[in-house]
Amino acid sequence: MLHAADDLLVERGFAALTIEGIAQRAGVAKQTIYRWWKSKVDILLDTLTDDAREALEWRVDEGGSVEEALTSHLQRVADFFEEPAGQVLQALLGHAQLDGDTAASLRAGFLREQRERDLIGLRDLLARDQGLIVDDRSLGHLVDLLLGPLYYRVLVFGSPIDKGLVDTTSRLVLALAREPAAEDS
């Protein structure tokens, strides 16, 4: 059912996605879907959470430098936006602008959980750089600076994230993390 929802969203868009269509594609009755989810938004939130957990996973122990590992992670984020799960996130974020319940569910679930993973992942990655540890407030700012340009490119301009943006963002965020002032802001 989750795969059916993903596929139909990509094929038809959020507005045309229906419980009936998901049930038909999955080969189940509508009642089966309604036993587990109350709306298409709930189905999409579940599929997003499942798909994003692996796709947006931080791989802190990758070989190479901290900058290479950070750039690799940002490229995975960029690639995620091109996948069906990334299109689900885009659709949910768009719908959340018009629907307060969707916004609240998205923020309380997926976005909060992903934010925690991003904070932990960046903190652990920075700790590889001669033990650099950034306070929680600065770490939150660095996560915003790290991911903000990627989300902006995709959500505001509807453009793919190119390698230049990934490389520049990685380099600039690491430069800020290494500045003594980054800990005081």
Side-chain angles (χ1 to χ4, degrees):
M1 290 180 277
L2 296 177
H3 293 297
D6 270 355
D7 293 345
L8 286 171
L9 176 79
V10 171
E11 290 171 20
R12 299 181 185 169
F14 183 82
L17 181 67
T18 64
I19 296 290
E20 292 81 10
I22 296 168
Q24 185 178 24
R25 176 67 64 94
V28 299
K30 280 188 338 185
Q31 296 79 5
T32 302
I33 292 177
Y34 282 119
R35 273 189 218 124
W36 295 94
W37 301 280
K38 62 182 179 179
S39 70
K40 68 182 181 181
V41 168
D42 291 334
I43 295 170
L44 292 174
L45 285 168
D46 278 356
T47 188
L48 173 63
T49 300
D50 287 347
D51 293 342
R53 190 172 292 118
E54 183 178 333
L56 299 177
E57 176 185 10
W58 282 78
R59 298 177 187 144
V60 175
D61 296 331
E62 284 184 352
S65 70
V66 170
E67 185 171 345
E68 290 169 337
L70 186 58
T71 300
S72 177
H73 178 73
L74 287 182
Q75 189 59 56
R76 280 192 300 282
V77 173
D79 293 343
F80 173 78
F81 277 111
E82 298 295 321
E83 297 171 3
Q87 293 174 21
V88 168
L89 175 57
Q90 292 174 61
L92 287 170
L93 287 168
H95 186 66
Q97 303 308 302
L98 305 171
D99 183 79
D101 290 339
T102 299
S105 293
L106 191 56
R107 288 181 185 128
F110 172 76
L111 292 174
R112 180 188 53 76
E113 292 167 10
Q114 187 58 47
R115 173 75 172 187
E116 288 301 314
R117 287 189 290 270
D118 290 335
L119 290 167
I120 291 166
L122 184 59
R123 184 198 67 219
D124 292 350
L125 184 63
L126 293 176
R128 280 185 43 199
D129 188 353
Q130 299 175 8
L132 175 62
I133 298 175
V134 179
D135 66 76
D136 287 345
R137 183 171 175 221
S138 295
L139 185 63
H141 291 164
L142 290 173
V143 167
D144 293 343
L145 291 169
L146 183 67
L147 297 170
L150 280 65
Y151 278 72
Y152 183 78
R153 176 73 59 90
V154 170
L155 298 173
V156 174
F157 287 106
S159 300
I161 301 164
D162 59 67
K163 182 162 175 31
L165 180 61
V166 167
D167 293 344
T168 301
T169 302
S170 178
R171 188 178 69 254
L172 292 174
V173 167
L174 284 176
L176 287 171
R178 290 182 178 120
E179 286 184 11
E183 294 183 32
D184 299 327
S185 53

